[in-house]
Amino acid sequence: MTIAPVQRTASLGSSAWTDARLIMALEEVVEKELNRHLQVAKDWMPHEFIPWSQGRDFDGVLGGEAWSVEQSQVTPLGRVSLVVNLLTEDNLPSYHHEIATMFGREGAWGTWVHRWTAEEGRHGIAIRDFLLATRAVDPNELERARMSHMSEGFESDNAHSMLHSVAYVAFQELATRISHRNTGHHAGDPLCDQLLAKIANDENLHMVFYRNLLKAALEIAPDQAMRAIADVVTDFRMPGHGIPGFERAAAQIAIGGVYNLRIHHDDVLQPVLRHLRVMEITGLGPEGLRAQDELGVFLGGLDAQATRFDERQAALLARRAARQAAQ
């Protein structure tokens, strides 16, 4: 199946591009991107990054040693961020249900859905094994948080639209990559940094897949794709927002420099938008132009918010440093 060129799609009108029709029209692109992904993706073994020799029995059935915070070299910031990242990965069954329901389980789409799920699955396995083997977190609190978070399930903000779903994951996969990579840098454990670099590389490849798919969608249904991008960017939130205590953890993660407004604007939104040349696209209809204008206004406002955050962060860190120096 060939993709209809832009000049043909304009005559169809945006209402002609239903989810079902878009999924069919993009099947060839999905197959191409899937083949590219399989050629460049390198399998890695999660167990190789777990220091099993550090592991020992916990208290409970086996009568081992109870957990305490000083048993691990992972930093407090690293601990908070690792737990948020892990609990986000834990909701994989819900994510799989969302994308399998949206994209289907047949053909290239279905093959991608299952491959993506398999790759994502090893992330949660590896992080949990690392945290437990190194005693980086309280295992009881971690399990209670997992049960609470997964019991709530996950419902995407973008399940109403195939294009919104594609646009969301194009940004979210990059956001996840950045979060994992920066967590590794701040964890205080070289092996943890190596592990999260492997996970971040997977996430980057997933981002490239969805970004290229979004680029194709912009070519065949530019007005609808532009609207989807504008809606997703202006209302973006990470999939782990339902984690117990997420707001407090997100504040610590932001102040610590793992993920915050400046990072979101500079390292997530702007790279994807620049690659797609979203603000340079011409020939849009009224709806596409409105979405493009809304996006430009929002990005300007977000940049200003990020600057104010930078100033508050710098002041807070300076006060903390002064208190430590005075002790």
Side-chain angles (χ1 to χ4, degrees):
M1 178 182 297
T2 57
I3 304 300
V6 173
Q7 57 265 33
R8 285 185 58 191
T9 63
S11 64
L12 290 170
S14 62
S15 62
W17 287 110
T18 62
D19 281 356
R21 193 169 186 275
L22 280 165
I23 287 172
M24 291 180 61
L26 290 168
E27 175 86 20
E28 197 171 85
V29 180
V30 172
E31 182 176 4
K32 174 185 174 184
E33 290 302 315
L34 172 62
N35 290 334
R36 180 199 56 76
H37 177 84
L38 294 175
Q39 288 174 359
V40 299
K42 296 181 179 179
D43 283 337
W44 56 278
M45 300 297 117
H47 67 272
E48 293 181 357
F49 293 86
I50 312 304
W52 301 105
S53 60
Q54 295 182 24
R56 56 192 186 277
D57 295 342
F58 286 99
D59 57 334
V61 175
L62 297 178
E65 183 182 1
W67 179 84
S68 61
V69 68
E70 70 276 1
Q71 294 169 351
S72 169
Q73 65 178 350
V74 169
T75 65
L77 175 61
R79 184 176 299 110
V80 169
S81 191
L82 280 162
V83 169
V84 169
N85 289 356
L86 174 56
L87 294 178
T88 301
E89 299 284 357
D90 276 337
N91 245 346
L92 181 61
S94 288
Y95 308 149
H96 175 85
H97 173 76
E98 290 272 347
I99 65 172
T101 301
M102 174 64 70
F103 300 143
R105 295 172 174 83
E106 305 298 329
W109 282 101
T111 302
W112 167 253
V113 166
H114 295 308
R115 172 72 187 200
W116 175 88
T117 302
E119 292 183 2
E120 289 286 345
R122 66 186 169 200
H123 300 167
I125 292 170
I127 295 174
R128 175 169 282 100
D129 285 347
F130 179 88
L131 293 180
L132 296 181
T134 63
R135 291 181 168 247
V137 299
D138 183 334
N140 296 320
E141 288 189 10
L142 181 64
E143 177 60 10
R144 283 192 286 267
R146 186 191 71 86
M147 287 294 295
S148 175
H149 185 45
M150 291 192 69
S151 295
E152 292 295 322
F154 173 80
E155 184 175 352
S156 171
D157 297 329
N158 303 288
H160 62 287
S161 161
M162 176 266 189
L163 280 179
H164 283 71
S165 296
V166 171
Y168 176 74
V169 288
F171 294 103
Q172 181 266 322
E173 292 284 4
L174 182 53
T176 304
R177 174 207 168 223
I178 296 293
S179 179
H180 282 306
R181 198 69 192 94
N182 287 346
T183 297
H185 292 330
H186 289 277
D189 185 309
L191 185 58
C192 181
D193 194 19
Q194 290 181 49
L195 169 60
L196 293 182
K198 281 291 185 182
I199 292 173
N201 186 63
D202 281 356
E203 302 289 5
N204 194 64
L205 293 178
H206 298 164
M207 178 277 292
V208 171
F209 178 94
Y210 288 119
R211 185 193 63 190
N212 292 350
L213 191 57
L214 184 57
K215 181 178 181 180
L218 277 165
E219 293 173 355
I220 69 172
D223 290 318
Q224 283 178 268
M226 186 66 73
R227 169 47 60 195
I229 291 170
D231 289 346
V232 164
V233 168
T234 55
D235 293 324
F236 184 89
R237 57 180 181 167
M238 292 293 275
H241 58 81
I243 292 171
F246 178 78
E247 290 77 12
R248 184 172 183 273
Q252 294 174 269
I253 288 168
I255 294 169
V258 173
Y259 198 94
N260 53 42
L261 278 179
R262 175 54 62 199
I263 293 170
H264 183 63
H265 177 275
D266 292 359
D267 299 337
V268 177
L269 298 183
Q270 290 292 353
V272 174
L273 294 172
R274 281 197 300 266
H275 181 87
L276 298 175
R277 298 184 176 180
V278 168
M279 303 309 295
E280 302 171 28
I281 293 176
T282 59
L284 296 167
E287 180 61 21
L289 286 171
R290 277 194 297 272
Q292 192 178 49
D293 288 343
E294 290 171 16
L295 184 59
V297 171
F298 175 81
L299 290 171
L302 184 64
D303 187 38
Q305 291 180 49
T307 298
R308 291 192 294 271
F309 170 81
D310 291 342
E311 294 168 352
R312 292 194 299 269
Q313 179 193 34
L316 176 60
L317 294 177
R319 289 195 298 271
R320 287 182 179 177
R323 284 198 299 267
Q324 290 176 354
Q327 291 177 354

